[in-house]
Amino acid sequence: MALYSEKVMDHFRNPRNVGSIENADGVGEAGNGKCGDIMKIYLKIDHAVVTDVKFETFGCGSAIASSSMATELIKGKPVSEVLKLTNKAVTEALDGLPAHKVHCSVLEEEAVKAAIKNYYDSHGMVYDC
Ligand code: FES
């Protein structure tokens, strides 16, 4: 059996939504202290819906594939739903990651939550997630 699913390879080779957003409504960053990989995510939010999302990931292939899949999962979704995104959901959407690479998908969950917190903070809303 191949180590990586076809979906992981596809999102690694052709990552969706790469880049940054000028005047983003929420920006979040997360880093993995062990490997030093970093993910930054930019959200455009309109009427509590994520209308656009871009990411920059300086990391391994699994982190890039997870980031790409996460952006696909949250684009067009209400903020309340985006807050429920877990690295498990992202990993499942990728048809799995090798056990020793699952930690790479945690980056994107943390970065997305940090971006929403940044959005809440800048709008004077209470973030209690
Ligand atoms: Fe660092 Fe994958 S090895 S996030």
Side-chain angles (χ1 to χ4, degrees):
M1 202 185 102
L3 191 55
Y4 293 103
S5 73
E6 273 178 36
K7 277 195 194 161
V8 172
M9 292 311 293
D10 177 33
H11 279 264
F12 167 58
R13 290 197 180 109
N14 307 294
R16 328 301 199 255
N17 306 306
V18 174
S20 58
I21 296 177
E22 234 179 278
N23 302 318
D25 297 304
V27 180
E29 197 174 300
N32 182 319
K34 272 194 191 155
C35 62
D37 291 350
I38 295 172
M39 177 196 186
K40 197 165 180 181
I41 192 152
Y42 303 82
L43 301 176
K44 210 61 193 159
I45 297 173
D46 190 19
H47 290 89
V49 171
V50 173
T51 53
D52 199 11
V53 49
K54 292 264 190 290
F55 80 90
E56 294 170 321
T57 292
F58 302 95
C60 70
S62 299
I64 290 170
S66 301
S67 307
S68 169
M69 179 56 88
T71 61
E72 293 250 283
L73 292 176
I74 67 176
K75 203 170 186 176
K77 296 271 165 54
V79 170
S80 55
E81 229 174 281
V82 171
L83 279 170
K84 291 183 200 142
L85 179 84
T86 60
N87 76 302
K88 189 167 178 277
V90 174
T91 308
E92 279 171 11
L94 287 168
D95 291 338
L97 281 169
H100 68 288
K101 298 302 271 180
V102 168
H103 73 94
C104 310
S105 66
V106 176
L107 271 188
E108 108 285 315
E109 180 185 328
E110 290 177 356
V112 167
K113 292 205 163 119
I116 303 253
K117 183 176 185 319
N118 175 244
Y119 166 73
Y120 274 35
D121 288 349
S122 59
H123 286 74
M125 295 188 278
V126 178
Y127 178 88
D128 60 358
C129 302

